[in-house]
Amino acid sequence: ARRASFFQPIDLSNVAWAFKRVGRGRRDYPLFAALAAAVPGAAGRALPYHLANIAKAFSDAADPRARDAVLDVIAAAAPPRIEEFSAAELALLAPAFADAEFPAPVLFRCLGSAAARRVGGNADPQIVFSLLRAFWKADEVSPDLLEAAATACSRRPQDYDPEFLGKLRTECERLGVGAADLIPAVRPT
């Protein structure tokens, strides 16, 4: 833990993620505190994947001070670089903030716009689901993302859960997003 300040962004990402995966992120305060202290110096050099990975690793860290400090740094570092993030990286970043219940309205506005541009084509259904689930959980709204998701879902509705399609359609209708008509009506089974 003492050497965390010497880590490169990839090292921070890998160590935080590994400890989260084995369940130590919830109880290893000294390690996560040391990693959190190193994040501000590494965030500017980190690749988008590393930022998303670090955010996800800290999203349920037991030490709320370390979690909030890391998410605060990433919430500030990501928006100016949001166009560098792939759809998969956005789909990892958004749930990290939603799951931590960390308010980041500026980040979510940027995420929504960037995600909408990436989801419009033949997006992976898991990415579409992950992004929208995060926005709904964080109580954030992105009409552009809803429209792009509706378009993506209309191309391959069989790839999506009917309950998810129903919620997407309802949200589009509630917000007046014209793409609601693209989503097949879900019939109760």
Side-chain angles (χ1 to χ4, degrees), residues 32-48:
F32 268 66
L35 292 173
V39 170
R45 298 174 291 134
L47 295 174

PDB file of all heavy atoms in Angstrom, residues 32-48:
ATOM      1  N   PHE A  32      -7.114   0.498  -0.131  1.00  0.00           N
ATOM      2  CA  PHE A  32      -7.951   1.370  -0.937  1.00  0.00           C
ATOM      3  C   PHE A  32      -7.706   2.844  -0.610  1.00  0.00           C
ATOM      4  O   PHE A  32      -7.802   3.697  -1.487  1.00  0.00           O
ATOM      5  CB  PHE A  32      -9.422   0.976  -0.823  1.00  0.00           C
ATOM      6  CG  PHE A  32      -9.818   0.008  -1.900  1.00  0.00           C
ATOM      7  CD1 PHE A  32      -9.291  -1.273  -1.935  1.00  0.00           C
ATOM      8  CD2 PHE A  32     -10.680   0.377  -2.905  1.00  0.00           C
ATOM      9  CE1 PHE A  32      -9.617  -2.166  -2.943  1.00  0.00           C
ATOM     10  CE2 PHE A  32     -11.019  -0.508  -3.929  1.00  0.00           C
ATOM     11  CZ  PHE A  32     -10.485  -1.780  -3.938  1.00  0.00           C
ATOM     12  N   ALA A  33      -7.354   3.162   0.620  1.00  0.00           N
ATOM     13  CA  ALA A  33      -7.011   4.544   0.968  1.00  0.00           C
ATOM     14  C   ALA A  33      -5.729   4.961   0.242  1.00  0.00           C
ATOM     15  O   ALA A  33      -5.635   6.076  -0.281  1.00  0.00           O
ATOM     16  CB  ALA A  33      -6.855   4.693   2.477  1.00  0.00           C
ATOM     17  N   ALA A  34      -4.755   4.057   0.175  1.00  0.00           N
ATOM     18  CA  ALA A  34      -3.503   4.363  -0.530  1.00  0.00           C
ATOM     19  C   ALA A  34      -3.744   4.503  -2.030  1.00  0.00           C
ATOM     20  O   ALA A  34      -3.208   5.409  -2.676  1.00  0.00           O
ATOM     21  CB  ALA A  34      -2.468   3.276  -0.257  1.00  0.00           C
ATOM     22  N   LEU A  35      -4.556   3.620  -2.581  1.00  0.00           N
ATOM     23  CA  LEU A  35      -4.874   3.720  -4.005  1.00  0.00           C
ATOM     24  C   LEU A  35      -5.636   5.011  -4.293  1.00  0.00           C
ATOM     25  O   LEU A  35      -5.358   5.708  -5.276  1.00  0.00           O
ATOM     26  CB  LEU A  35      -5.702   2.518  -4.462  1.00  0.00           C
ATOM     27  CG  LEU A  35      -4.992   1.162  -4.481  1.00  0.00           C
ATOM     28  CD1 LEU A  35      -5.986   0.051  -4.781  1.00  0.00           C
ATOM     29  CD2 LEU A  35      -3.859   1.151  -5.478  1.00  0.00           C
ATOM     30  N   ALA A  36      -6.585   5.347  -3.428  1.00  0.00           N
ATOM     31  CA  ALA A  36      -7.368   6.576  -3.612  1.00  0.00           C
ATOM     32  C   ALA A  36      -6.467   7.806  -3.591  1.00  0.00           C
ATOM     33  O   ALA A  36      -6.670   8.743  -4.371  1.00  0.00           O
ATOM     34  CB  ALA A  36      -8.439   6.681  -2.531  1.00  0.00           C
ATOM     35  N   ALA A  37      -5.475   7.801  -2.721  1.00  0.00           N
ATOM     36  CA  ALA A  37      -4.560   8.940  -2.640  1.00  0.00           C
ATOM     37  C   ALA A  37      -3.721   9.093  -3.905  1.00  0.00           C
ATOM     38  O   ALA A  37      -3.288  10.197  -4.241  1.00  0.00           O
ATOM     39  CB  ALA A  37      -3.649   8.783  -1.418  1.00  0.00           C
ATOM     40  N   ALA A  38      -3.507   7.995  -4.619  1.00  0.00           N
ATOM     41  CA  ALA A  38      -2.694   8.033  -5.840  1.00  0.00           C
ATOM     42  C   ALA A  38      -3.502   8.418  -7.080  1.00  0.00           C
ATOM     43  O   ALA A  38      -2.932   8.822  -8.095  1.00  0.00           O
ATOM     44  CB  ALA A  38      -2.034   6.671  -6.062  1.00  0.00           C
ATOM     45  N   VAL A  39      -4.814   8.316  -7.029  1.00  0.00           N
ATOM     46  CA  VAL A  39      -5.647   8.559  -8.211  1.00  0.00           C
ATOM     47  C   VAL A  39      -5.544   9.988  -8.744  1.00  0.00           C
ATOM     48  O   VAL A  39      -5.415  10.180  -9.957  1.00  0.00           O
ATOM     49  CB  VAL A  39      -7.116   8.138  -7.953  1.00  0.00           C
ATOM     50  CG1 VAL A  39      -8.032   8.616  -9.071  1.00  0.00           C
ATOM     51  CG2 VAL A  39      -7.193   6.620  -7.827  1.00  0.00           C
ATOM     52  N   PRO A  40      -5.585  11.025  -7.899  1.00  0.00           N
ATOM     53  CA  PRO A  40      -5.514  12.384  -8.466  1.00  0.00           C
ATOM     54  C   PRO A  40      -4.272  12.622  -9.333  1.00  0.00           C
ATOM     55  O   PRO A  40      -4.364  13.267 -10.378  1.00  0.00           O
ATOM     56  CB  PRO A  40      -5.509  13.294  -7.237  1.00  0.00           C
ATOM     57  CG  PRO A  40      -6.213  12.502  -6.186  1.00  0.00           C
ATOM     58  CD  PRO A  40      -5.815  11.062  -6.452  1.00  0.00           C
ATOM     59  N   GLY A  41      -3.146  12.082  -8.941  1.00  0.00           N
ATOM     60  CA  GLY A  41      -1.931  12.261  -9.728  1.00  0.00           C
ATOM     61  C   GLY A  41      -1.901  11.431 -10.998  1.00  0.00           C
ATOM     62  O   GLY A  41      -1.184  11.759 -11.945  1.00  0.00           O
ATOM     63  N   ALA A  42      -2.682  10.382 -11.037  1.00  0.00           N
ATOM     64  CA  ALA A  42      -2.673   9.479 -12.191  1.00  0.00           C
ATOM     65  C   ALA A  42      -3.812   9.744 -13.165  1.00  0.00           C
ATOM     66  O   ALA A  42      -3.737   9.332 -14.322  1.00  0.00           O
ATOM     67  CB  ALA A  42      -2.753   8.027 -11.707  1.00  0.00           C
ATOM     68  N   ALA A  43      -4.855  10.419 -12.724  1.00  0.00           N
ATOM     69  CA  ALA A  43      -6.068  10.552 -13.544  1.00  0.00           C
ATOM     70  C   ALA A  43      -5.800  11.223 -14.888  1.00  0.00           C
ATOM     71  O   ALA A  43      -6.361  10.813 -15.908  1.00  0.00           O
ATOM     72  CB  ALA A  43      -7.141  11.325 -12.782  1.00  0.00           C
ATOM     73  N   GLY A  44      -4.964  12.215 -14.920  1.00  0.00           N
ATOM     74  CA  GLY A  44      -4.685  12.915 -16.170  1.00  0.00           C
ATOM     75  C   GLY A  44      -3.919  12.074 -17.180  1.00  0.00           C
ATOM     76  O   GLY A  44      -3.985  12.323 -18.383  1.00  0.00           O
ATOM     77  N   ARG A  45      -3.219  11.063 -16.698  1.00  0.00           N
ATOM     78  CA  ARG A  45      -2.431  10.192 -17.575  1.00  0.00           C
ATOM     79  C   ARG A  45      -3.148   8.894 -17.899  1.00  0.00           C
ATOM     80  O   ARG A  45      -2.692   8.110 -18.724  1.00  0.00           O
ATOM     81  CB  ARG A  45      -1.099   9.848 -16.916  1.00  0.00           C
ATOM     82  CG  ARG A  45      -0.219  11.053 -16.665  1.00  0.00           C
ATOM     83  CD  ARG A  45       1.037  10.686 -15.876  1.00  0.00           C
ATOM     84  NE  ARG A  45       0.656  10.336 -14.501  1.00  0.00           N
ATOM     85  CZ  ARG A  45       1.096   9.278 -13.841  1.00  0.00           C
ATOM     86  NH1 ARG A  45       1.927   8.448 -14.387  1.00  0.00           N
ATOM     87  NH2 ARG A  45       0.689   9.035 -12.624  1.00  0.00           N
ATOM     88  N   ALA A  46      -4.255   8.657 -17.237  1.00  0.00           N
ATOM     89  CA  ALA A  46      -4.964   7.377 -17.378  1.00  0.00           C
ATOM     90  C   ALA A  46      -5.712   7.308 -18.698  1.00  0.00           C
ATOM     91  O   ALA A  46      -6.269   8.290 -19.175  1.00  0.00           O
ATOM     92  CB  ALA A  46      -5.943   7.196 -16.225  1.00  0.00           C
ATOM     93  N   LEU A  47      -5.719   6.128 -19.278  1.00  0.00           N
ATOM     94  CA  LEU A  47      -6.554   5.869 -20.449  1.00  0.00           C
ATOM     95  C   LEU A  47      -8.009   5.801 -19.987  1.00  0.00           C
ATOM     96  O   LEU A  47      -8.281   5.503 -18.816  1.00  0.00           O
ATOM     97  CB  LEU A  47      -6.154   4.541 -21.101  1.00  0.00           C
ATOM     98  CG  LEU A  47      -4.750   4.480 -21.695  1.00  0.00           C
ATOM     99  CD1 LEU A  47      -4.444   3.060 -22.178  1.00  0.00           C
ATOM    100  CD2 LEU A  47      -4.605   5.474 -22.820  1.00  0.00           C
ATOM    101  N   PRO A  48      -8.953   6.049 -20.880  1.00  0.00           N
ATOM    102  CA  PRO A  48     -10.361   5.966 -20.485  1.00  0.00           C
ATOM    103  C   PRO A  48     -10.726   4.646 -19.803  1.00  0.00           C
ATOM    104  O   PRO A  48     -11.468   4.637 -18.819  1.00  0.00           O
ATOM    105  CB  PRO A  48     -11.108   6.152 -21.801  1.00  0.00           C
ATOM    106  CG  PRO A  48     -10.190   6.975 -22.625  1.00  0.00           C
ATOM    107  CD  PRO A  48      -8.806   6.501 -22.263  1.00  0.00           C
TER     108      PRO A  48
END
